[in-house]
Amino acid sequence: MKLLYIGTVCDQIKYKEMLSNTKKSPSIASMVFEECFIDGLHMHNTNVQIYSFPMIPSISKSRVWGWGKKHHTLKGYTVDLFPTINIIGLKQISRLLSSYYMIKKWLKKNRDAECAVLIYSLCPFAVPNIVKLCKRFHKKCFVIVPDLPTNMFMNHKLSLIKKALVKPYLSISFKYQSGFCGYIYLTEAMKDVI
């Protein structure tokens, strides 16, 4: 079984290098959880390709304008970062496009293999691509649900631009959240909502 894992996880040293040019560092709780999950996959010799969208603040809180094709290794696995333009609005669009291209390429390459796609969180830029492409290629897709979509952007200090984008951005998650073949919840109560 081959697995495409999509999340925020990446090598801690590389991540700290990227964060060195930011004013505010995001929480690394998700990366710690994901790294433990990747450890478990590694212990079971799972064939995994990792695509990552690291949590780097947008250009208003960072001097990182973006990145192209980048990859490194983690626990013996290759981690490819989604190419990203790190400007609010363009960040989500660039990740939508790069995730579509990269997921489609992986599914095409593994068309005849037994494989599945697993994503960490109902991430709005990747969820439609995963659901649609897995359906097209007759592959299963799963999601780890660490938090409900309604709680994803609860920061009250959001700029006016971000506040305006949150509702349409989250509506994408709501539209496609029932399109997965299976769910991994962190609490049992989540299954009543999603």
Side-chain angles (χ1 to χ4, degrees):
M1 168 69 99
K2 292 183 176 182
L3 180 66
L4 173 58
Y5 179 80
I6 301 168
T8 65
V9 69
C10 59
D11 177 73
Q12 293 283 348
I13 294 168
K14 300 279 185 194
Y15 186 61
K16 285 177 184 170
E17 284 174 17
M18 293 176 87
L19 285 177
S20 66
N21 289 315
T22 63
K23 295 176 188 172
K24 183 182 173 191
S25 295
S27 168
I28 62 164
S30 63
M31 284 184 59
V32 170
F33 171 85
E34 289 180 79
E35 207 167 312
C36 291
F37 185 78
I38 299 298
D39 274 338
L41 294 173
H42 183 69
M43 284 171 42
H44 290 88
N45 297 317
T46 310
N47 185 336
V48 181
Q49 169 66 56
I50 302 169
Y51 291 164
S52 180
F53 51 98
M55 305 302 283
I56 305 293
S58 295
I59 204 65
S60 62
K61 293 189 172 94
S62 167
R63 290 190 299 270
V64 179
W65 286 90
W67 51 91
K69 290 184 179 179
K70 277 190 174 188
H71 64 269
H72 56 272
T73 57
L74 176 70
K75 313 284 182 189
Y77 295 124
T78 300
V79 178
D80 291 307
L81 304 186
F82 287 130
T84 302
I85 299 168
N86 203 26
I87 299 169
I88 297 169
L90 293 177
K91 182 177 195 172
Q92 289 71 23
I93 293 167
S94 63
R95 286 182 169 179
L96 175 82
L97 296 172
S98 59
S99 69
Y100 177 83
Y101 171 77
M102 291 170 70
I103 294 164
K104 183 179 177 185
K105 186 176 178 183
W106 187 86
L107 287 168
K108 263 185 163 178
K109 180 182 172 187
N110 294 289
R111 182 188 303 265
D112 298 326
E114 185 182 356
C115 62
V117 177
L118 173 64
I119 185 169
Y120 178 83
S121 87
L122 287 160
C123 188
F125 71 80
V127 166
N129 292 334
I130 292 169
V131 171
K132 289 176 184 177
L133 288 168
C134 284
K135 190 173 182 179
R136 184 191 312 171
F137 285 91
H138 308 289
K139 302 298 180 188
K140 293 193 175 189
C141 58
F142 304 90
V143 61
I144 297 172
V145 186
D147 205 357
L148 298 174
T150 50
N151 298 339
M152 286 170 64
F153 298 97
M154 292 305 291
N155 184 346
H156 296 290
K157 296 179 183 176
L158 293 176
S159 68
L160 290 175
I161 294 171
K162 286 185 180 178
K163 281 183 183 177
L165 293 173
V166 166
K167 192 173 180 181
Y169 194 57
L170 284 179
S171 69
I172 296 167
S173 290
F174 295 134
K175 181 177 179 181
Y176 290 96
Q177 71 184 8
S178 62
F180 288 88
C181 303
Y183 305 82
I184 301 168
Y185 302 112
L186 295 194
T187 65
E188 195 171 343
M190 289 180 174
K191 72 179 182 181
D192 298 327
V193 181
I194 297 179

